[in-house]
Every structure is written in structure tokens, then in C-alpha cells.
Amino acid sequence: MKPELEKVHAVFLTETEEQLVTLERDLLTLESCPGPESLRAAFRTVHTLKGGAAVMGLTEAVELAHTLEELLTRLEAGVLVLHSGLGTLLLQAVDAMRELVGLRPVAEPDLRLPAKDVHSLLASTVEAARPLASSAARGCAERLGAESHTETPHRERTLRVGLDRLDRMLDLTGEISIARGRLTSMLSQAHRYSPQQLLEAHREADRLYLDLQELVMKVRMVPIGRTFQTFTRTVRDLCQTTGKLVRLEMSGEDVEVDTTVTELIRDPLTHLVRNAMDHGMEPPEVRQACGKDPTGTLFMRAFHEAGSIVIQVGEDGPGLDRERILERARERGLLGPDEGRPDAELFQFIFEPGFSTAQRVTELSGRGVGMDIVKRNVEMLRGTISLETTPGKGTTFFLRLPLTLSIIEGFSVGVGEETYVIPLEHVVECVELPQLERNPGRTGVFNLRGEPLPYLRLREHLSLGGEPPSRESIVVIGQGRGRAGIAVDTLLGQGQTVIKPLGKPCQGLPGLAGSTLMGDGRVALILDVPVLLQQVLKAASSAAAA
């Protein structure tokens, strides 16, 4: 495909995905609240999709859209009645359309049909419907068709950036240009200005730069509601599969987060929702027997808290089975035969690899199956996951995530001539390495206020060579309950760090998460704290066992 056509194709896919999300939402609305408005909205979207597919020469997609239009026309005329099975078929047509245009279907894999089969079922349904009276059919089709051309569909603009933000960015760029010119002019005639005047001019330019940086960050922010909306379909499909009655409640959809976070958080959320539907929610008859509403509630909430976004995924099911988790932990040797743990620590075992309490593992997964993957994916986003559970009342998972992945607060340290950055959120404290630990070696353990603290020498871990200084410092890092130290030469302090990807020679090296440019133009590497922490604790455990 030529580069020009690739660009056109990319734009087509972006717009088509948005239209298919809109169509899916319209069809779900049509199913829950049948009415002419939602039906016409769905028709207009299908009509637009058909036009776009025709332009790109996607014949099969055009034919599918045409059949879908005919089906919607018969629904409009009252020849067909929308029932659960037909609703499922319409949603499968959305997945089939995604498949035909080259997008990934979002339906549950076990509910997905090949696009050809879906098209055949749609066509059969249209043919089986009582033929429309010619005049009524024409009138209906003409009315819907005319509306699709004459009315402006109410649809969110496809601009990724609000024009007001773009205008402000342009203004700031101009103001920065003026400030730079003024500063350059003052520096060229520095003898005419005092150091204080030069410093003030620099601070003014710096303030404008920080305003621009903040605005660029906001440009990347999108509402989390777009991610939440996709689970309406997931819950609906899983209710059909499991026979459970579940009401999905969402709140905080306007909370904004970095667009990268919304893309990467989708899989962990999908797993949590599927898990809650399968093992976190009782069947209607069981709920009734327990005195509960036969229709359960699954909720997704988002809100800001202390510079982070918190996402809650919870249900009002039976809650985690404490005794079963305790028994399973003992079976796997995670606890001794008579050893106990507080609830908060015990429930953390469900995030251990392969830790499942489910009596049966279904296609939707059991509680505990894959939770380690969820935790790992959340931690890759520099986030944390925790849970609260109450017997008989349900379980809620809390995902705390950074608002952006492109800038972090970092703590800089020096080893030899090199500078490294540790994400500040993992820095617990800094202490001096005791004199008794000044022996060469990659790892070690020392007494920190009565507690053993394993540590790792960064110089030897990264094979930097050279002699360490007479006084080394320890940066105590932590994640969850884990604590360890990193021995470095110097502590340089904290500041904002713009994350850049690693160059090819450094990609895949354990312990490195990225790079950044420092103020003097040199490159500093950003440390991957979870990996380093795991290595230190593993080395300490091996040494203790030896």
C-alpha cells in the first residue's frame, strides 16, 4: 500500500472504530429502551459506515451494512420485533463489521461468529420477515434515508484536541518565542543588566515553558468513560452466557486520564469484569435464597485522589471465601500448617501466580486465575491494586494509577560519572551505608533500625567499574510490602523527569525502564524498581537459605 493510501486507511480505521462504538451503544440503547430515536440513530450510523466502506472498496463490509440497513428498516416498519436473540445478532453484526474492515472484534470469543455466518443470518432474517407493503417500505426507507442526509447526527467530534487548547498552545508558543528573544538580547548585552534582572527574565521564560508543558499534558487526557462504555456490551454478553442478572453501574466517566493509560488498562479491567461476572456474582436463584435482589450490581467508578486516578471494580456478590483461601495457601506451601495471617495480607495471595480458589475453572476464568497478570499489568503502569471484601456483601478492587505515563517525579542518584533516576513513588527514604558494609560485593544485608534490609550495589549490578567512594548512600525503595536498598555514590535530589524509550542497545536489559535527558544534555537511565526489588529480595532469600 502506498504511503498516501496508508494514511487514508489509518484515518478510515480510526473513524470507523468510533462509528462502530457509537453503533454498538445505539443498539444496546435500542435493546433496553426501544424507540424510534435510537432506531434512527443506529440507521444513520450504519449508513455512514456503508459510505466509508464503499470509498475504501470494502465490498463485503458494504454488503453487510446494506443488509443491516434493511433489517433496521423492517424494525422501523414494525414487521420485525426486536427480541433478545435478534439483539445479539445485531451486536454480532457490529463485530462482523469490525472483522471485515480490519479491526479486532470486541465480543466475547465464545460468542463470536465468522462474519460470513453473521451476514447469512442477517440476510435470512430479512428474507423471513413478511414482505413490506411496497409503498410503506419505500416510505420508511426514504424517511430514514432522508433523515440520514438532512439531519446532522449528534456525534462527538473526532478531533483529538480541543480547539481552545490548540489556540492556547499556539499563544504560549508565541509568548515563549518572545521571552527567548528578550533573554537572548539581554544576554548579548549582559554588561547592561544585573544578575537579578537576567534571572528574572529566565524565570519568566521558564514559567511560560511550564505552562506549555502542563497544557501538552492535558491534551493527552481523555475521559475514562470511553473505556468504561465498552463493558456495557461485555456484561450484556456474559449475562446471556451465564444466565445471571447483572446491572452495570458506572460513575466518574468524566474523569480524565492519559490516553495511554486508557489503552493499557483495558485488559486488566476486562479480566476483573469477567472474573466478577463468573465467580463474584451468584445466579438469580441463589441470590433470592440469600434474601438478595435477583439482579446483582456490578459497578465501575473512577475518581481523582492525591494526584492519581482510582478505578474501582466491584460487585455485591458473596465476597471472598477466607477459609478457602487459607486452605489453598497452605496447600501451596505459602503458609505453614498452623500459620495464620490478617485478612489484608491473606487476601493478597489471590495475586500469586496460579493461586485459584475456584472449584472449577471456566472459560471466563476463576477468581485467582490470572490475577497475577492483572497485578503485573497494573504495576507496569506504575500503579497498585488492592481489594476489600465483606462476606455476603461483595468484593471491590481498587486500581490506583498515575494520570500520565510520560512525566514522572524522579529521584536522581549518581554512580561514577553516570546519573540514574528512581521513580519518586518508590523511594521510601535515604540512609548512609554503615561502615561495616563497605566490603565489595553486589548485594548484602544490613540492620536498619532493627530490621534486616537487603541491598544491591548499582555500580556492580550494572558492571560500571571504578572504585566506590569512601561513603556510600542507600536509597530505600519499596513496592507493596517489599523493601530493599540500592547503594549509590551520591544523592542528587528530585525533579520532574520526561520519560523517553530506551535505545536499541539497552532494550530488554533487566532493571532499566527508560531514559531521560538531563538539563546539561546528558542521558540518564530510569531504573525499573519492581524488577530490581525482585532481584534483591530473591538474592537475599537465596543467601539466607544457603
Side-chain angles (χ1 to χ4, degrees), residues 477-479 482-484 528-538:
I477 57 173
Q479 186 180 44
R483 293 284 186 278
D528 188 341
V529 170
V531 171
L532 287 177
L533 189 62
Q534 191 178 17
Q535 290 179 345
V536 178
L537 296 178
K538 186 177 179 181

Side-chain angles (χ1 to χ4, degrees), residues 24-238:
E24 198 169 58
R25 187 184 61 215
D26 292 340
L27 293 175
L28 288 168
T29 302
L30 180 65
E31 188 178 46
S32 58
C33 304
E37 286 304 320
S38 50
L39 187 58
R40 289 167 189 165
F43 188 94
R44 286 194 293 266
T45 307
V46 174
H47 195 75
T48 305
L49 280 167
K50 188 171 74 170
V55 169
M56 297 301 296
L58 300 172
T59 308
E60 290 181 308
V62 172
E63 291 174 352
L64 177 62
H66 184 72
T67 307
L68 196 52
E69 277 184 332
E70 290 189 352
L71 187 61
L72 293 173
T73 302
R74 281 162 169 73
L75 283 172
E76 166 77 6
V79 178
L80 279 173
V81 176
L82 184 61
H83 50 79
S84 175
L86 186 55
T88 300
L89 181 59
L90 289 170
L91 290 171
Q92 286 175 332
V94 178
D95 293 326
M97 186 67 78
R98 282 194 173 95
E99 181 183 331
L100 292 176
V101 300
L103 294 166
R104 189 183 67 168
V106 296
E108 295 300 315
D110 51 335
L111 296 178
R112 208 179 291 161
L113 289 176
K116 285 186 177 180
D117 293 352
V118 174
H119 195 175
S120 298
L121 286 170
L122 277 176
S124 302
T125 306
V126 171
E127 288 299 321
R130 184 165 55 88
L132 294 171
S134 57
S135 58
R138 277 198 302 274
C140 180
E142 287 170 2
R143 185 168 65 255
L144 289 173
E147 285 169 351
S148 66
H149 289 294
T150 56
E151 292 184 10
T152 303
H154 177 68
R155 182 177 299 141
E156 189 175 359
R157 297 178 70 186
T158 55
L159 280 175
R160 298 294 183 273
V161 183
L163 288 176
D164 54 340
R165 289 182 175 178
L166 276 179
D167 289 343
R168 181 57 186 150
M169 287 172 68
L170 192 60
D171 289 344
L172 277 173
T173 305
E175 291 174 27
I176 289 173
S177 177
I178 294 170
R180 285 183 58 211
R182 177 168 174 262
L183 187 57
T184 302
S185 175
M186 292 177 71
L187 288 172
S188 65
Q189 303 177 58
H191 60 282
R192 297 177 56 186
Y193 300 95
S194 67
Q196 186 63 31
Q197 288 175 311
L198 291 172
L199 185 60
E200 286 297 325
H202 168 72
R203 285 176 176 166
E204 174 61 18
D206 196 44
R207 182 187 63 76
L208 293 170
Y209 160 74
L210 290 176
D211 286 350
L212 181 61
Q213 184 188 56
E214 182 181 352
L215 194 56
V216 171
M217 295 292 297
K218 287 181 178 177
V219 163
R220 294 179 53 86
M221 307 295 270
V222 295
I224 192 71
R226 296 180 186 178
T227 304
F228 282 2
Q229 286 295 335
T230 59
F231 293 103
T232 305
R233 168 77 184 279
T234 302
V235 171
R236 185 259 183 206
D237 286 350
L238 292 180

Side-chain angles (χ1 to χ4, degrees), residues 368-383:
V369 174
M371 281 296 179
D372 59 316
I373 305 297
V374 172
K375 183 180 181 185
R376 191 173 66 195
N377 287 349
V378 170
E379 289 176 348
M380 284 173 63
L381 293 169
R382 306 202 318 274

Side-chain angles (χ1 to χ4, degrees), residues 291-476:
K292 292 182 176 180
D293 186 333
T295 301
T297 301
L298 191 152
F299 60 84
M300 304 181 75
R301 301 171 185 150
F303 54 89
H304 284 146
E305 186 177 270
S308 302
I309 180 174
V310 178
I311 298 177
Q312 295 181 352
V313 180
E315 25 75 10
D316 59 351
L320 296 181
D321 187 338
R322 187 185 191 284
E323 294 305 315
R324 179 71 187 121
I325 292 174
L326 189 62
E327 179 187 348
R328 181 67 176 145
R330 287 172 176 163
E331 286 174 3
R332 297 197 61 210
L334 298 171
L335 288 176
D338 300 320
E339 189 179 357
R341 287 285 174 84
D343 285 357
E345 294 183 20
L346 182 66
F347 294 143
Q348 291 297 315
F349 283 130
I350 71 168
F351 297 113
E352 292 290 326
F355 190 96
S356 174
T357 61
Q359 300 294 335
R360 59 187 176 84
V361 177
T362 70
E363 293 180 354
L364 300 181
S365 79
R367 175 144 300 192
V369 174
M371 281 296 179
D372 59 316
I373 305 297
V374 172
K375 183 180 181 185
R376 191 173 66 195
N377 287 349
V378 170
E379 289 176 348
M380 284 173 63
L381 293 169
R382 306 202 318 274
T384 59
I385 183 169
S386 58
L387 66 91
E388 290 180 359
T389 183
T390 305
K393 294 186 177 179
T395 303
T396 302
F397 288 89
F398 298 78
L399 281 67
R400 186 180 296 277
L401 301 161
L403 294 178
T404 178
L405 301 180
S406 55
I407 294 181
I408 61 168
E409 283 290 333
F411 188 81
S412 299
V413 297
V415 180
E417 298 296 324
E418 305 296 331
T419 300
Y420 298 89
V421 178
I422 305 172
L424 192 61
E425 64 202 34
H426 295 300
V427 177
V428 180
E429 62 176 320
C430 298
V431 296
E432 187 174 334
L433 186 67
Q435 188 69 35
L436 294 175
E437 291 295 323
R438 302 283 164 71
N439 303 318
R442 181 169 170 265
T443 60
V445 179
F446 74 96
N447 187 320
L448 178 63
R449 296 189 290 275
E451 295 289 335
L453 182 77
Y455 69 90
L456 174 149
R457 269 196 175 81
L458 201 57
R459 175 187 299 278
E460 300 193 15
H461 178 73
L462 298 177
S463 304
L464 297 177
E467 290 297 322
S470 57
R471 299 174 61 181
E472 292 178 90
S473 297
I474 289 283
V475 180
V476 181

